[in-house]
Amino acid sequence: MDSVDIFRKEAHKMVDWIADYYADIEKYPVKANIKPGSVFSAIPDSPPLEPENMQQIFSDFESIIMPGITHWQSPGFFAYFPANTSFPSLLAEMLSSALGAQCMKWETSPAATELEEAVMNWLRQMTDLPDNFEGVIQDTASTSTLCAILTAREKATGFDANNKGMAAYAGMRVYCSSEAHSSVEKAVKIAGIGRDNLVKIGTDNTFRMDPALLEKAITLDIQNGLSPVCVVAAIGTTGSTAVDPVEEIARICSKYKIWLHIDAAYAGSAFILPEYRYLLKGIDQADSFVFNPHKWLFTNFDCSAYFVKDSESLVNTFKLVPEYLRSQIREHVNDYSNWGIQLGRRFRALKLWFVIRSYGLNGLQEKVRHNVALAAGLKSWIEKQANFELLAPVEFGLVCFRFHPRGIDDINTLNALNEQLLLAVNATGQVYITHTKLDGKYTLRMVTSQTNIERSHVEHAWNLIVNTAASIHTI
Ligand SMILES: Cc1ncc(COP(=O)(O)O)c(C=O)c1O
């Protein structure tokens, strides 16, 4: 396979395979339906000693790997939040793989660094974030949130916790709502702040953080000699896309000089639409903001856009320049390995550039609006079905609901019924939906943010759910 001619031949075949895959994607069962361990047991225990030809490898890919794939790009995929891709993004990923550049510093690929700075400026403008925010691409929102909490920790200690370790700085406190993503908890564990110092603030009946409870918790901690360092507010919680009241939370953070990080992992893409920007009121008081173009901006996983107001603090938190990485050019360019955890970095900016240019802002707005309209349509169908009910407001492209036949009000019975419904619907292979619990209620979640989703797909999924519900419980 070292010959460029063989590569050319095989690559053409694979591009054809990829095009066919997308053309036929709806023929695959959306959720992989294999027995645990079956792929592992089909793989030889030891690696081959001699070269194998691509035909054989590819044939095993089709027979062993493909049955174990869940088809995230299928328009029948309504699960979790999506990890969207698109053809322009795929093309850029091909080029990025081909270049194989490791873009840790400006010198190691100047174009990668400079394109990253440029496309992050584009994204900032597209989402109307404040001009004094600077962006860097991280792998995931979990990493971005960890960077925010580490920077908050360092800023609060004059960048000294990095020197002395956390034993010298006990009693730090971080706050988020009880609906915040588990990545916040992971970050406080990793940052050495400790899970016991993550204060989960209660929410109102639409799952938004209650700012009065936040201020109460902060003042109590200060009275007890503890040090509040960071609040993580969510715009679009994972369970129900609830939006914490940013303006009120920002006011509290400013008052007590606490770092405010905003986790908009999924919903942040909606800010390319002016009609959503009222939710950003108070953002100028925030310190950092993350959203994932890999969730809802049609850009291959992984690509997380992390914006920070005070990039100097971010760099001071992470910067280390051992001799073997020293170079002459420092002043006018960014070395993004100092803007986060890992040294080595993929060339991720390329796919964002391809996507933004291929669709244009108008094209991206049209796609996101279309996804939002599909969720609104599903919401209206649920409202018309007497035996179903919505369990949370529909803000973006997520609809939370449950089957609630008349006469059944016991929560355990309803939870069991909805779990049975979810399993039965997913077993058809036509759609894949997931669940959460809201107020203890087993909740079906459907996300209508797929790249290639049309009204017919949502309609089909909804009819399937209604008919399956009727078959497991006589309505
Ligand atoms: C609100 C929120 N934050 C963070 C995450 C974690 O995202 P990532 O997989 O990019 O770490 C998710 C994932 O769905 C999320 O919904």
Side-chain angles (χ1 to χ4, degrees):
M1 189 61 186
D2 283 345
S3 137
V4 78
D5 293 329
I6 299 178
F7 169 76
R8 191 187 307 278
K9 195 169 127 241
E10 296 299 342
H12 277 293
K13 277 203 274 187
M14 285 197 197
V15 169
D16 281 340
W17 186 92
I18 292 168
D20 290 343
Y21 171 69
Y22 274 89
D24 295 338
I25 199 160
E26 288 179 59
K27 293 187 187 147
Y28 294 86
V30 186
K31 184 173 185 283
N33 183 19
I34 59 166
K35 289 207 172 67
S38 61
V39 173
F40 183 81
S41 60
I43 308 289
D45 289 340
S46 6
L49 292 179
E50 299 302 331
E52 296 186 69
N53 67 42
M54 193 45 68
Q55 209 177 341
Q56 186 56 45
I57 300 169
F58 193 72
S59 143
D60 287 348
F61 165 77
E62 289 196 294
S63 64
I64 300 172
I65 303 301
M66 281 304 282
I69 293 295
T70 290
H71 298 279
W72 283 67
Q73 306 314 317
S74 167
F77 185 97
F78 297 93
Y80 306 104
F81 285 134
N84 273 334
T85 182
S86 62
F87 293 131
S89 174
L90 265 174
L91 294 174
E93 281 289 68
M94 284 161 70
L95 294 177
S96 177
S97 295
L99 297 172
Q102 203 276 61
C103 310
M104 58 187 171
K105 304 196 301 169
W106 181 84
E107 283 102 319
T108 60
S109 263
T113 297
E114 295 188 17
L115 186 64
E116 182 158 340
E117 190 175 348
V119 290
M120 292 307 280
N121 284 346
W122 283 7
L123 274 189
R124 186 189 60 224
Q125 287 170 41
M126 288 163 66
T127 49
D128 205 30
L129 291 176
D131 287 349
N132 58 350
F133 277 35
E134 286 181 84
V136 53
I137 304 179
Q138 308 282 0
D139 52 8
T140 57
S142 302
T143 301
S144 300
T145 294
L146 175 59
C147 289
I149 289 177
L150 287 170
T151 312
R153 182 193 83 179
E154 286 312 303
K155 201 166 178 183
T157 63
F159 302 90
D160 196 39
N162 266 343
N163 299 325
K164 297 208 174 77
M166 287 302 285
Y169 291 101
M172 284 190 187
R173 305 284 269 180
V174 174
Y175 309 80
C176 64
S177 90
S178 50
E179 291 292 318
H181 190 261
S182 56
S183 53
V184 182
E185 195 162 326
K186 212 182 236 185
V188 293
K189 290 200 301 177
I190 300 170
I193 291 170
R195 194 190 236 164
D196 292 350
N197 289 310
L198 177 63
V199 186
K200 299 246 176 113
I201 306 296
T203 60
D204 64 13
N205 60 2
T206 55
F207 312 107
R208 301 154 19 107
M209 188 194 284
D210 179 337
L213 292 180
L214 173 67
E215 186 157 16
K216 208 165 147 192
I218 290 171
T219 48
L220 187 68
D221 281 348
I222 293 171
Q223 276 164 26
N224 290 330
L226 299 168
S227 315
V229 291
C230 184
V231 173
V232 181
I235 295 187
T237 57
T238 314
S240 68
T241 60
V243 179
D244 290 337
V246 171
E247 194 177 17
E248 285 162 273
I249 295 171
R251 185 192 54 75
I252 296 166
C253 289
S254 297
K255 181 170 165 191
Y256 297 95
K257 301 199 170 21
I258 302 172
W259 186 284
L260 173 58
H261 173 61
I262 296 180
D263 175 4
Y266 159 74
S269 297
F271 294 121
I272 66 169
L273 303 180
E275 58 267 35
Y276 275 104
R277 302 220 178 113
Y278 72 98
L279 295 171
L280 284 179
K281 208 153 178 242
I283 185 81
D284 50 320
Q285 299 299 314
D287 295 283
S288 53
F289 177 93
V290 60
F291 83 99
N292 286 349
H294 73 229
K295 286 199 195 301
W296 197 12
L297 213 60
F298 320 108
T299 307
N300 276 60
F301 187 87
D302 49 6
C303 185
S304 180
Y306 179 57
F307 290 92
V308 62
K309 196 194 276 173
D310 174 8
S311 62
E312 211 178 307
S313 287
L314 177 72
V315 172
N316 279 343
T317 299
F318 292 109
K319 190 172 174 178
L320 271 181
V321 188
E323 192 53 41
Y324 50 84
L325 292 176
R326 278 191 203 286
S327 52
Q328 304 301 317
I329 308 138
R330 293 259 138 232
E331 283 88 63
H332 308 297
V333 292
N334 294 330
D335 281 341
Y336 283 118
S337 54
N338 289 328
W339 290 54
I341 294 164
Q342 85 245 38
L343 172 67
R345 305 183 84 249
R346 298 182 59 229
F347 187 7
R348 297 193 186 90
L350 194 66
K351 57 192 168 188
L352 264 175
W353 195 48
F354 272 44
V355 168
I356 297 169
R357 293 186 62 185
S358 295
Y359 288 100
L361 178 56
N362 289 341
L364 289 169
Q365 286 178 331
E366 200 176 303
K367 282 189 82 64
V368 171
R369 262 196 201 111
H370 169 67
N371 292 151
V372 169
L374 293 177
L378 175 59
K379 173 183 177 247
S380 71
W381 301 335
I382 293 169
E383 283 168 335
K384 283 189 205 123
Q385 268 284 347
N387 286 302
F388 281 81
E389 65 183 349
L390 290 165
L391 294 180
V394 177
E395 292 267 16
F396 303 96
L398 168 67
V399 184
C400 293
F401 63 102
R402 72 173 172 176
F403 180 39
H404 188 166
R406 244 173 257 150
I408 302 183
D409 287 313
D410 174 61
I411 187 158
N412 294 325
T413 312
L414 284 172
N415 285 356
L417 194 59
N418 278 281
E419 184 171 10
Q420 194 187 348
L421 174 57
L422 176 118
L423 293 173
V425 165
N426 286 345
T428 65
Q430 296 170 41
V431 300
Y432 181 19
I433 60 177
T434 46
H435 82 284
T436 189
K437 276 216 173 137
L438 294 174
D439 272 341
K441 296 172 190 159
Y442 193 99
T443 304
L444 306 176
R445 292 171 80 260
M446 276 178 72
V447 185
T448 59
S449 300
Q450 273 303 319
T451 308
N452 297 310
I453 193 171
E454 294 300 340
R455 187 186 146 100
S456 59
H457 299 111
V458 189
E459 215 161 17
H460 176 73
W462 175 237
N463 289 335
L464 184 68
I465 290 166
V466 171
N467 293 337
T468 311
S471 72
I472 61 173
H473 181 91
T474 314
I475 298 180

